[in-house]
């Protein structure tokens, strides 16, 4: 076929692939009712012609753009920031652009303002990274006709949700310390109003209770190394403390320093397990045993849920739980 002098159109793709332009449209919209061989042929024609869909024209036909809106808290914390990055990549791979609306707090006023802005942009759907309980009231006002998926939201909300199994991750961390021979495990949690914190507290407490171990007092903190250091200063003065599970790796980092300053060696005197598996965790002294969250899997699952809603696919699941992974390094040992 001779190369066209203008930019290739959908009809050019259809002619090269030997199908109708309606079939090309179905492939571009990832419609399920297309034979795999046909889909491959159309994709090959698109690649050969370097065809790029007319996003503006599609928006006029469908009433929606190839744009996904995201509502997220303005945060540099590793978990939320990683989740957002992974979702942007997953959306780009599927041919969607992402418009991020960041808010200082997940309250009604802030969320309503961002949602209105996304609606003005005629977004195809909305993803909300709603990791705190205070967001529940504001999120109830999102228009019901708009496809929406929540990440790290309230499991009891009944809304389409994708989350890491925080309870299972905490259970794995706590059980690993018990299996090393420790009689009990202390826990330094994140903020109580975060769903992630609540799940990790639940998993820690359940594991101790099922093992018949004493449940020590909960030490509540934020997510920072500074708060971990303050908690660690107290724990380091308590000789009965031999094992600590922290709600994230930055808390663990602060605790490691506090223990070191008091001459308590890790893991010889105290074992420590974190959560998240930040890139630096393998380079802590000692390298930190932690729980890895599969942010990429969460992002792709959230996008899949959202696309299912856009296609009005009634068979799409509405709650996906992604398992975490215990990463064993050198910060856990038997009690002295």
């Amino acid at each position: 076929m001779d190369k066209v002098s203008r930019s290739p159109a959908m009809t050019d793709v259809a002619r090269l692939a030997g199908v109708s332009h309606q079939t090309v449209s179905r492939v571009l919209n990832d419609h399920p009712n297309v034979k795999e061989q046909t889909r491959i042929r159309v994709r090959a024609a698109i690649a050969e012609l370097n065809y790029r869909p007319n996003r503006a024209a599609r928006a006029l036909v469908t009433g929606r753009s190839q744009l996904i809106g995201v509502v997220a808290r303005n945060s540099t914390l590793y978990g939320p920031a990683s989740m957002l990055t992974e979702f942007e990549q997953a959306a780009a791979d599927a041919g969607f652009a992402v418009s991020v609306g960041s808010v200082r707090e997940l309250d009604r006023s802030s969320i309503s303002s961002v949602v209105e802005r996304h609606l003005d942009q005629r977004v195809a759907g909305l993803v909300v990274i709603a990791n705190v309980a205070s967001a529940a009231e504001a999120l109830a006002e999102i228009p019901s006709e708009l496809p929406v998926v929540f990440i790290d939201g309230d499991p009891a909300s009944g809304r389409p949700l994708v989350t890491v199994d925080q309870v299972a991750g905490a259970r794995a961390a706590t059980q690993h310390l018990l299996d090393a021979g420790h009689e009990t495990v202390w826990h330094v949690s994140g903020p109580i109003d975060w769903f992630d914190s609540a799940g990790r507290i639940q998993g820690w407490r359940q594991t101790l209770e099922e093992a018949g171990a004493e449940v020590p007092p909960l030490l509540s903190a934020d997510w920072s190394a500074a708060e971990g250091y303050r908690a660690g200063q107290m724990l380091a003065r308590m000789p009965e403390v031999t094992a600590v599970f922290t709600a994230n790796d930055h808390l663990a980092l602060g605790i490691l320093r506090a223990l070191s300053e008091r001459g308590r060696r890790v893991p010889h005197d105290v074992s420590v397990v974190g959560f998240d598996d930040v890139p630096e965790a393998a380079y802590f002294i000692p390298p930190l045993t932690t729980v890895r969250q599969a942010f990429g899997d969460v992002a792709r699952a959230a996008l899949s849920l959202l696309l299912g809603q856009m296609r009005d696919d009634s068979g799409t699941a509405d709650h996906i739980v992604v398992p975490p992974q215990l990463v064993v390094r050198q910060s856990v040992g038997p009690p002295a």
Side-chain angles (χ1 to χ4, degrees), residues 32-333:
N33 295 335
V34 180
K35 292 181 179 179
E36 188 59 28
Q37 287 184 335
T38 303
R39 192 183 302 276
I40 292 171
R41 200 159 70 246
V42 171
R43 290 292 182 194
I46 289 171
E48 181 176 336
L49 294 174
N50 196 26
Y51 170 68
R52 296 184 180 277
N54 187 330
R55 309 294 185 189
R58 189 185 301 184
L60 289 173
V61 173
T62 64
R64 291 191 180 128
S65 65
Q66 290 295 102
L67 181 67
I68 295 173
V70 174
V71 179
R73 200 174 198 172
N74 188 6
S75 175
T76 57
L77 291 171
Y78 176 74
S82 298
M83 190 74 72
L84 181 56
T85 298
E86 291 286 355
F87 184 80
E88 288 181 306
Q89 183 60 58
D93 291 344
F96 286 85
V98 172
S99 173
V100 180
S102 297
V103 295
R104 289 180 180 272
E105 297 294 335
L106 288 170
D107 55 31
R108 172 178 287 192
S109 174
S110 301
I111 291 176
S112 296
S113 175
V114 170
V115 170
E116 284 298 320
R117 188 161 72 247
H118 284 322
L119 292 176
D120 288 343
Q121 294 174 318
R122 301 167 70 89
V123 294
L126 200 62
V127 169
V128 183
I129 303 176
N131 38 32
V132 296
S134 61
E137 183 180 353
L139 297 175
E141 298 183 1
I142 294 177
S144 59
E145 68 274 11
L146 180 67
V148 60
V149 171
F150 295 84
I151 294 177
D152 286 345
D154 182 2
S157 69
R159 295 233 185 194
L161 172 68
V162 182
T163 183
V164 172
D165 193 336
Q166 306 295 340
V167 175
R171 290 178 68 93
T174 306
Q175 190 63 53
H176 183 65
L177 289 163
L178 293 177
D179 290 345
H182 298 277
E183 293 183 359
T184 192
V185 178
W186 291 69
H187 181 44
V188 180
S189 79
I192 300 299
D193 64 337
W194 283 58
F195 296 115
D196 290 356
S197 289
R200 293 168 200 176
I201 292 169
Q202 180 184 342
W204 161 73
R205 182 173 284 120
Q206 284 179 351
T207 306
L208 292 180
E209 290 173 347
E210 291 172 7
E214 178 186 353
V215 181
L218 177 69
L219 302 180
S220 180
D222 60 19
W223 299 110
S224 69
E227 281 285 293
Y229 177 71
R230 282 190 281 272
Q233 287 178 309
M234 183 184 73
L235 294 169
R237 293 192 296 267
M238 302 167 63
E240 67 270 26
V241 174
T242 66
V244 181
F245 162 49
T246 67
N248 78 346
D249 293 343
H250 289 99
L251 288 168
L253 177 62
I255 288 173
L256 290 176
R257 174 174 173 175
L259 291 171
S260 176
E261 289 179 352
R262 294 286 296 189
R264 300 197 68 184
R265 300 166 299 168
V266 178
H268 305 288
D269 302 314
V270 182
S271 292
V272 179
V273 175
F275 208 107
D276 276 346
D277 193 27
V278 299
E280 301 83 5
Y283 302 96
F284 288 4
I285 301 176
L288 184 68
T289 293
T290 184
V291 177
R292 178 181 298 155
Q293 302 195 75
F295 296 118
D297 290 348
V298 173
R300 287 185 288 274
L303 182 63
S304 177
L305 269 185
L306 194 66
L307 294 179
Q309 289 185 52
M310 292 178 193
R311 293 191 298 261
D312 197 21
D313 184 356
S314 58
T316 303
D318 59 6
H319 189 182
I320 298 175
V321 180
V322 177
Q325 176 190 359
L326 181 69
V327 180
V328 177
R329 295 194 178 103
Q330 299 168 32
S331 62
V332 175

